[in-house]
Amino acid sequence: MSNPQVQAIDGPLTSTATFLILTVAPGAESTVASVLGSISGLSKNVAIRDAGAGLSVTVGIGARVWDAVTKLPRPAELHEFKELKGATHTAPSTPGDLLIHIRAERRDMVYEFERLLLDQLGAAVKVQDETTGFRYFDARDLLGFIDGTANPIGQALDASVLVAAGDDAGAGAAAVGGSYVTTQKYLHNLGAWNKLKTEDQEAAIGRTKIDNVELADQADDAQKPHKQLATIVDDQGVEHDILRDNMPFGAPGKGEYGTYFIGYSRKLWVTEEMLRRMFIGVPEGKHDRILDFSTPVTGSVFFVPSAEVLAKIGS
Ligand code: HEM
């Protein structure tokens, strides 16, 4: 039976999470494959120490190493993050072959799993970024707004997030039950944001700040709120959602305040279209106002195979 702590994409937001972005050293693909294939055992070793702490681990594999690490057909939409250059703001594409998303209610459990994993991977990987986030009161981001409200729930969650049989004829069973995941680490200019009046902040997000109520959409030629730009409706009128497990992170002593964006989707184009609308703008040039106060410093795309597929990697 598969281990429910592994590839638990639909797991709840926890009070802490670490996002590790790694690159694979040349020639180390088979070492990486055997460590990833045995991650279920490694997570059990830690999870048992406090079953109530909800440890879960999600592993994503990037396009550059997918073939060599998994030896499986490549999911149809998997490619490296495409840089987006708007008139005012840019979403950079940065190195990343593996994503390890570790969640738990206890910081020590997350630390312990990360320590053991990196110990096993050793020189086979290089850490490109390590960010640890925390829950900020009632799941607010550091801009002060509740983040995650419009996430799909129940049956809509699997339908939005997991690749279904028939979605990807090329990769077939290797893709089914998996998910595309996009990550971006944003740094906020909190000083400038906090100088805005609350009504202006609310207009930028598209919701009220205290009680989280949606505001009316803006007309076609106006600069639209984040919520409206991130809503994707196709030509048939069908809305496409993604699952966001964003976490705030920060170190006031260093003047660092951020949001770690992580979006899981059944179809990568949905997340890409959200990014295009935010950075290029709708109409073009009218970008997302949260970007005037939030700068992405990383950008990567991965495919998260199902737990069953992951367990067979490297065997
Ligand atoms: C909605 C914050 C980046 C996609 C929201 C909301 C907040 C928020 C406060 C409203 C409440 C909610 O429904 O969650 C942020 C911050 C970001 C960020 C602080 C980074 C600095 C992104 C990115 C994407 C995205 C990069 C997609 C690529 C969405 C979606 C919604 C949303 C899909 C829901 C829209 C709807 O109402 O249907 N975000 N977000 N966000 N955001 Fe973001």
Side-chain angles (χ1 to χ4, degrees):
M1 215 182 85
S2 71
N3 172 356
Q5 295 136 9
V6 172
Q7 310 303 70
I9 296 165
D10 58 354
L13 268 183
T14 45
S15 60
T16 181
T18 289
F19 306 90
L20 255 186
I21 303 282
L22 311 172
T23 44
V24 175
E29 291 83 1
S30 59
T31 308
V32 167
S34 64
V35 175
L36 296 188
S38 60
I39 231 162
S40 170
L42 193 62
S43 80
K44 280 184 181 163
N45 296 351
V46 181
I48 189 76
R49 299 173 71 176
D50 180 355
L55 178 76
S56 78
V57 181
T58 308
V59 177
I61 303 169
R64 201 181 71 94
V65 298
W66 175 271
D67 299 358
V69 168
T70 68
K71 305 215 165 35
L72 292 167
R74 185 189 298 221
E77 287 188 274
L78 183 60
H79 52 238
E80 290 183 39
F81 186 96
K82 291 182 185 154
E83 182 193 81
L84 275 163
K85 239 186 201 340
T88 315
H89 300 293
T90 299
S93 171
T94 54
D97 296 331
L98 302 175
L99 161 74
I100 318 289
H101 179 194
I102 315 166
R103 294 179 249 189
E105 293 300 333
R106 285 176 55 165
R107 173 77 190 109
D108 56 353
M109 302 279 283
V110 174
Y111 162 86
E112 189 68 357
F113 177 82
E114 182 186 356
R115 181 181 76 79
L116 294 172
L117 177 70
L118 286 180
D119 217 36
Q120 290 204 354
L121 287 167
V125 297
K126 184 164 173 228
V127 177
Q128 296 291 337
D129 187 63
E130 176 192 48
T131 301
T132 293
F134 53 86
R135 186 196 331 245
Y136 188 51
F137 300 100
D138 42 348
R140 286 177 191 263
D141 55 41
L142 299 188
L143 302 178
F145 285 76
I146 295 178
D147 192 359
T149 311
N151 269 338
I153 50 173
Q155 285 184 342
L157 176 54
D158 283 1
S160 306
V161 169
L162 301 183
V163 174
D167 277 358
D168 186 340
V176 173
S179 188
Y180 294 92
V181 62
T182 305
T183 60
Q184 284 184 303
K185 178 175 180 168
Y186 283 87
L187 297 178
H188 298 305
N189 181 345
L190 266 200
W193 175 255
N194 287 335
K195 285 202 186 86
L196 290 185
K197 289 200 288 250
T198 301
E199 301 84 81
D200 293 337
Q201 295 181 346
E202 292 177 335
I205 299 287
R207 282 184 181 266
T208 58
K209 194 168 184 180
I210 302 270
D211 51 12
N212 194 27
V213 174
E214 278 188 274
L215 302 176
D217 280 353
Q218 291 294 319
D220 272 355
D221 53 348
Q223 191 163 22
K224 297 172 192 55
H226 174 61
K227 185 210 87 177
Q228 190 177 352
L229 288 170
T231 300
I232 307 297
V233 180
D234 69 18
D235 296 344
Q236 280 75 49
V238 177
E239 190 173 326
H240 295 268
D241 292 329
I242 65 170
L243 172 69
R244 293 164 288 127
D245 286 317
N246 296 359
M247 278 262 162
F249 62 90
K254 295 184 191 141
E256 185 185 81
Y257 308 96
T259 294
Y260 201 92
F261 166 79
I262 177 163
Y264 289 95
S265 62
R266 172 175 173 183
K267 296 173 178 134
L268 182 60
W269 71 260
V270 175
T271 313
E272 290 183 328
E273 180 60 8
M274 290 172 180
L275 288 168
R276 195 192 61 76
R277 289 167 59 92
M278 289 173 64
F279 282 82
I280 310 294
V282 182
E284 217 171 299
K286 294 213 165 144
H287 62 260
D288 191 324
R289 287 214 64 215
I290 64 171
L291 300 178
D292 295 336
F293 307 92
S294 317
T295 306
V297 292
T298 70
S300 302
V301 168
F302 310 87
F303 189 78
V304 173
S306 69
E308 291 71 23
V309 171
L310 183 72
K312 288 189 195 121
I313 289 176
S315 59

